[in-house]
Amino acid sequence: YEEGTWTPVIADAVSGGNTGSGTLKGYYTRTGNVVTVNASLSNIDTTGMTGSNDLFVRGLPFPTGYASGTNSDLGRAFGACLLDDVNVDANCYGIVAVTSPLISYVKFAEMLDANNEDRILVSELTSGYTDIFFSLTYFVN
């Protein structure tokens, strides 16, 4: 059992790219090969970021993995989130935090009525005002 903090990084790319700022806090709990992360991202400033790019939160405390003895489908994880001052699609009926195996970042998926999911873009945030809070549980190897 382990618990601690992690440093979320608001970014417009998986690596490199441009980063944002704000009051960014992360907490985690790890029990065996299961990690739960919580993040509080307040007053996100996107100045200098590329608006047409997907929004990423990098810096997870442990890279994601697979459930022991399973395939990659059981390595994907989805978590609850709350977004303030984000301009989502009119047909959006929910938003989830999303991660996949073997990465160290989170994206946000808009679930759309009668359509495929869509990702939150940097341009959909109200710079300096957007708040994002999320909780996500995932496997590590």
Side-chain angles (χ1 to χ4, degrees):
Y1 178 82
E2 175 183 347
E3 57 184 45
T5 61
W6 62 284
T7 304
V9 176
I10 299 294
D12 63 7
V14 172
S15 64
N18 305 299
T19 58
S21 61
T23 303
L24 313 174
K25 300 175 185 176
Y27 305 93
Y28 74 89
T29 302
R30 179 176 177 168
T31 305
N33 70 335
V34 177
V35 176
T36 298
V37 294
N38 294 283
S40 172
L41 317 171
S42 300
N43 301 319
I44 299 170
D45 185 344
T46 59
T47 302
M49 296 175 71
T50 303
S52 59
N53 287 4
D54 289 347
L55 175 69
F56 297 87
V57 177
R58 300 190 312 218
L60 289 175
F62 304 96
T64 59
Y66 303 107
S68 180
T70 64
N71 63 30
S72 61
D73 288 338
L74 293 177
R76 296 174 22 187
F78 308 91
C81 61
L82 171 67
L83 286 72
D84 292 327
D85 287 307
V86 177
N87 185 24
V88 297
D89 189 280
N91 293 323
C92 177
Y93 63 87
I95 300 170
V96 294
V98 179
T99 193
S100 297
L102 309 178
I103 61 175
S104 294
Y105 61 83
V106 173
K107 290 172 116 178
F108 300 92
E110 295 179 63
M111 296 175 289
L112 303 176
D113 185 35
N115 207 337
N116 293 328
E117 67 183 49
D118 189 24
R119 303 294 183 186
I120 298 288
L121 301 176
V122 171
S123 62
E124 294 174 318
L125 278 62
T126 305
S127 187
Y129 295 95
T130 292
D131 300 325
I132 298 175
F133 308 95
F134 70 88
S135 179
L136 177 71
T137 298
Y138 62 92
F139 293 107
V140 297
N141 290 341

